Amino acid sequence: MSKRSATEVNTASGSQGEPRKTPRGESKQREHAADDEMGEFEDAWEDELESDEEVVDAEAGKGEDGMDVDDEVMPPIEETEEQPAAPDVFIPGVHHLGKDEILEPDDSVYVMRHNMSVNWPCLSFDILRDNLGDERQRFPATAYIVAGTQADVAKNNEISVYKMSSLQRTQKENDSDDEEDDDDALDEDPLLEHRSVPHLGGVNRVRAQPLPASSPLPPVSQPYYVASWSETGKVHVWDVRPLIEALDVPGYTVDKARTHTPAFTIGSHGRAEGFAMDWASSGGANPSALRLLTGDIHSKIFLTTTTPSGFNALAQPFSTHTSSVEDLQWSPAEPTVFASCSADQSVQIWDVRVKGRTSVAGIDRAHESDANVISWNRATTYLLLSGGDEGGIKVWDLRNVKKKGTTAPDPTPVAGFSWHNAPITSIEWHPTEDSIFAASGADDQVTLWDLAVEQDDEEAGGMNATPEGSREVPPQLLFVHQGQKDVKEVHWHPQIPGAVISTALDGFNVFKTISV
């Protein structure tokens, strides 16, 4: 726009020839002032009354009923129906962050979302049972976990019990005032408290003993065991029940003789460290008896059981794998059966009653690379999940797995997904929904899946067409959670439906989505 002088502006505006709109009643006041004037004076209205055409007649502005009517009728203001532009959705493998770009979470798809930082990153954690009830839906939520650190020096490592409280519902921009007054919708920061015991060496994996569903937390006088796989080659069993009590009861004094020394140490693996570990309850006539499996990088699996007098580590290993044992899972239906996966690409099925300690069935080439993780479905007990180093996720029907000694080929997975583009680091079935599972990968993704979802081609219509250069999203992929760096493990909370906790290099995430 060009600049003009004040004189030019006044001249231009005055040459329009348009009448100025006068406030109602002002013209009458001017007429009365003209009748009563005596002598000469400077008329304040002189400029406006220079022309008869510019005089605004007040009477002309009235309707037949004497009411004031504006000569100039403004058109009604129409509310715009234009919606704000939707934010761009970042699809891993399709989009790439530029320099100085960061991902912003869309809180409209989260029921709850919290980030928590800790002193040292935790490679592994497990969720502890509490006395706050099952099927919890109200907010703020509270969760208890146990984790093992990866500190800078071996002596600085710890086993920590964390209490995550004040986990509020996620605030959304379109929340009404009424919702803001609700206790479930308070905008407060979560609280993270912990009690720790020293642990020599980094913790490769930590697992808590199983407790029956809907059973209360054991009284403080009884143990609540947690096992830790140390990088030193030892597996330690700890009693963490007093640590939970110290988080809940102000002034409670922990008996260090009970908590700071392992209740039992398994030395069967020598100096070979490992990652694979899983607990199970013996059930049946002796539900309090526990069984602990541990697998090391030298392909050996050892079984440790409990007796009324304590723990008993069996000396003879289970040995069929030819490389590092990566994960172990007890069968939820048969107390003597377990599964394992290995860097030798296989998944093996075992029965502890078989002499010779060799597997009874298996999938020799379950993945194109290392088989990293497995999960056994607790509701549909013939389904097993596996995740590989190549990023693949596979679902196996164990009824089709070939028995040892037969020449049958490996079974075909009932489902397979190649969404992740880096090794799968963790995988777990939903505790009650037999078609839903969660997975995490070294590509910094936590994904939620539902095998029951099938895309209807008629309803999808044109959505089936994948634009050039983009990536097809499997209909079974419900949700992609991002924002963490180097995600290592993910677990469903068994007492808070749909709640997921994940650990990564930069701490813990606790979230619940609208999808599950």
Side-chain angles (χ1 to χ4, degrees), residues 33-69:
D35 294 338
D36 297 338
E37 70 176 322
M38 294 181 66
E40 296 181 357
F41 64 93
E42 184 176 354
D43 188 358
W45 309 100
E46 183 177 1
D47 292 341
E48 286 192 85
L49 301 180
E50 287 180 352
S51 169
D52 291 338
E53 295 179 357
E54 292 183 5
V55 177
V56 179
D57 186 0
E59 296 299 327
K62 292 187 176 182
E64 294 180 359
D65 55 358
M67 296 184 64
D68 290 346
V69 178

Side-chain angles (χ1 to χ4, degrees), residues 32-33 119 171 175 192 281 428 491:
H32 293 162
N119 293 332
Q171 296 291 294
D175 281 350
L192 183 63
S281 172
E428 186 173 277
H491 297 296

Side-chain angles (χ1 to χ4, degrees), residues 381-428:
T381 57
Y382 56 80
L383 292 180
L384 184 80
L385 274 170
S386 67
D389 222 40
E390 78 287 354
I393 296 173
K394 298 184 180 182
V395 186
W396 304 96
D397 186 336
L398 296 179
R399 297 172 297 183
N400 300 329
V401 175
K402 65 178 182 179
K403 296 182 178 180
K404 292 295 181 181
T406 64
T407 58
D410 279 340
T412 301
V414 296
F417 305 101
S418 300
W419 175 261
H420 288 270
N421 52 30
I424 304 299
T425 57
S426 182
I427 202 162
E428 186 173 277

Side-chain angles (χ1 to χ4, degrees), residues 195-210:
R195 296 291 185 273
S196 302
V197 297
H199 185 279
L200 182 61
V203 180
N204 292 345
R205 190 153 294 176
V206 62
R207 291 289 181 265
Q209 74 169 83

Side-chain angles (χ1 to χ4, degrees), residues 84-139:
D88 294 334
V89 177
F90 183 88
I91 301 178
V94 176
H95 304 121
H96 301 279
L97 288 178
K99 185 179 180 181
D100 299 329
E101 287 185 327
I102 60 172
L103 293 175
E104 287 290 341
D106 179 4
D107 281 334
S108 67
V109 297
Y110 287 95
V111 178
M112 172 180 68
R113 183 184 63 83
H114 296 286
N115 307 322
M116 297 185 178
S117 300
V118 290
N119 293 332
W120 297 108
C122 299
L123 186 67
S124 178
F125 76 101
D126 204 1
I127 296 176
L128 298 173
R129 186 162 185 85
D130 56 53
N131 286 331
L132 301 179
D134 295 331
E135 303 293 323
R136 305 201 294 265
Q137 300 285 354
R138 287 188 61 83
F139 291 92

Side-chain angles (χ1 to χ4, degrees), residues 45 69 91 123 128 131 238 245 255 275 340 436 500 514:
W45 309 100
V69 178
I91 301 178
L123 186 67
L128 298 173
N131 286 331
W238 310 84
E245 193 74 5
D255 181 4
F275 296 87
S340 63
I436 297 176
V500 177
I514 62 174

Side-chain angles (χ1 to χ4, degrees), residues 291-338:
R291 297 162 291 143
L292 177 63
L293 287 167
T294 52
D296 60 38
I297 60 174
H298 289 170
S299 74
K300 299 295 189 294
I301 301 171
F302 287 91
L303 173 63
T304 301
T305 61
T306 60
T307 65
S309 59
F311 288 87
N312 179 34
L314 305 184
Q316 186 180 1
F318 297 88
S319 54
T320 294
H321 287 297
T322 58
S323 188
S324 173
V325 180
E326 300 294 294
D327 204 2
L328 290 161
Q329 284 275 284
W330 283 103
S331 166
E334 300 176 80
T336 61
V337 176
F338 69 90

